[in-house]
Structures are given as structure tokens and as C-alpha cells.
Amino acid sequence: MQQGADLLCHLRRIGSGVIALANLTRSDTRTLRTTSLLGVIYATDKVDGLLARGASRLLQRPCTDAGKTLDQKVDKDSHTMVMGSHIVDAWSRGERTFATALLSNMAVQLWRDRIVNRRRERAQQVARITDRNIHIGSVPASKGKMFFVAGGDIATQSSIARHPVGRTILGAVHCIGSALSLTSGAEVVRRLHGDTAVAVSSLPLGDGRRMQSEPLIAPTASERLLSSVGNLFVP
């Protein structure tokens, strides 16, 4: 099952590259075919998650860090390729405002992902040093983020993006996706910091593992900024 999940990840990346290439080389790619293909690509993200969790339950062990890292990297690569091609396409058609809005939202996503991934890497280091399992659980804002990000990408691939009103609506959808992305990112960082701090505090004060882990749990300036920005969108 895990091999099947990894295969779907690689196929998702290839499919996203095909769509991005089509957007950059064809005069009109806002077709039902490419829109449907992008929908299928995003649907496989759910399928490979189900496969990975099924393999985890069957083998009675948690999903591997390598599998989680691959899935997150493919998600970022797929989104960047597709949205990057939309930005170039919109700019070349003279839709400069729309292209700038898409670029801003993509930059926010990449900034958020960079900070979260660095904190995940530190949490994995702490888990290995302390021999503790770090599990943050489900983050509600992440589900909303995926709905708006994926939905925005798919709708931008459709003919809706050819109409001024449609582009305005899509800009709002992408902005909501970015807000939810910042909120979920801040929550993930907070949980990872809390769980790693608990893992380290459980070790004796003179333990070498504790002294080795303590620098890894300190929040960085970027994480504090993400938390401050993410909290702006929390009611």
C-alpha cells in the first residue's frame, strides 16, 4: 500500500508538469479536459493518503517520515508548477492584476510551507534524539485550506478565468486559501513546538539528550512572525 501511495505521488507530479507545460505552450488550455485532469490529480492526494494510512494500520506502525515528506513535497511542487504556469499565462495575456494576485498568493504559500517544513524537520530530530513519537493530530484549518487551494487551482484552470468577474471571484478564493494556509501553518508550528517541548522536558536536567534537543525547540523569528500573522485570521 505504501508503494502505491508513493507511486500516486510521483504520478501527481508528472500530471501537474504536463498541465503546466500545456498552459505555457498552447494558446487556449482552459478546456474541460485539462480542468478534469487537474481535478483527478488533486483527488489522488486523498487516495494516496488513504493508502498510506491503510498500510500504517495493517503494519501497526506509524506512517514513515519519508512518506510524509514525499507527499508534502509533491503537493508543493504540483501547486507551484500549475500556479506558476497560470501566472505566466495571465501576464502574457495582459491580465497583470490577476497575475500579480496569483503570484502574491503563491509566495505566501511557499513562505508558509518553508517555515512549517523546517519546524517539522526539527521535530523529527527531537523525536529521534528523545525516542519519542511526535504526533500533532488533525488541524481543522488545513482541510479548509486544501479545499480553497485545490478548488482555486482547478477553477483557475477552467474557462472561468477568462472573464473579468470570474477572475475577481478567483482572486478572492485564492486569498481565502492563503489566509487558511497561514492559520493552519501557525497551528502546526504551535503544536510541534509544544509536543517537542514536552518530549524534552521529560528528560532529566543533566541528560545529554536534553541539552542536545533544547536548541531545536526554540521558536525562530520566522515562526513567531507566522504565528502572529496566522492569528490575525482566527476569530
Side-chain angles (χ1 to χ4, degrees), residues 7-147:
L7 177 60
L8 283 176
C9 281
H10 291 301
L11 290 176
R12 190 160 77 247
R13 178 185 279 160
I14 293 171
S16 299
V18 169
I19 290 179
L21 185 61
N23 288 341
L24 294 173
T25 57
R26 293 176 56 187
S27 59
D28 188 9
T29 57
R30 299 299 196 271
T31 63
L32 180 61
R33 182 180 301 172
T34 56
T35 305
S36 299
L37 176 58
L38 187 57
V40 170
I41 287 171
Y42 276 112
T44 62
D45 187 26
K46 292 294 183 184
V47 176
D48 67 50
L50 291 173
L51 287 173
R53 285 189 290 274
S56 176
R57 285 193 295 270
L58 183 63
L59 299 174
Q60 296 184 343
R61 64 187 183 190
C63 296
T64 63
D65 290 338
K68 294 177 183 177
T69 301
L70 175 63
D71 183 60
Q72 293 159 7
K73 190 173 189 310
V74 169
D75 285 345
K76 183 178 74 173
D77 291 348
S78 298
H79 176 71
T80 302
M81 284 190 290
V82 173
M83 289 309 298
S85 66
H86 285 158
I87 292 167
V88 173
D89 179 58
W91 190 272
S92 65
R93 293 174 184 275
E95 301 161 0
R96 305 295 169 84
T97 302
F98 185 51
T100 302
L102 293 180
L103 179 60
S104 300
N105 281 283
M106 188 174 74
V108 167
Q109 296 281 352
L110 292 175
W111 178 70
R112 177 261 190 200
D113 290 346
R114 181 180 178 83
I115 295 172
V116 171
N117 288 339
R118 284 188 170 182
R119 174 48 58 183
R120 287 186 189 277
E121 290 171 1
R122 288 186 169 202
Q124 289 169 8
Q125 286 180 270
V126 172
R128 286 192 292 268
I129 294 171
T130 61
D131 197 27
R132 292 282 295 269
N133 183 31
I134 307 296
H135 180 65
I136 62 171
S138 176
V139 178
S142 294
K143 296 180 180 179
K145 168 221 169 188
M146 286 306 301
F147 175 80

Side-chain angles (χ1 to χ4, degrees), residues 142-212:
S142 294
K143 296 180 180 179
K145 168 221 169 188
M146 286 306 301
F147 175 80
F148 279 95
V149 170
D153 286 0
I154 294 169
T156 304
Q157 185 65 45
S158 72
S159 58
I160 295 174
R162 286 285 175 261
H163 306 285
V165 175
R167 290 195 292 272
T168 301
I169 294 173
L170 288 174
V173 169
H174 284 293
C175 285
I176 294 172
S178 291
L180 288 171
S181 180
L182 291 171
T183 302
S184 66
E187 178 63 13
V188 169
V189 167
R190 185 188 69 79
R191 292 190 187 185
L192 287 171
H193 179 262
D195 286 358
T196 51
V198 169
V200 173
S201 65
S202 66
L203 298 173
L205 287 175
D207 195 309
R209 293 176 299 168
R210 178 165 182 161
M211 291 185 287
Q212 186 180 358

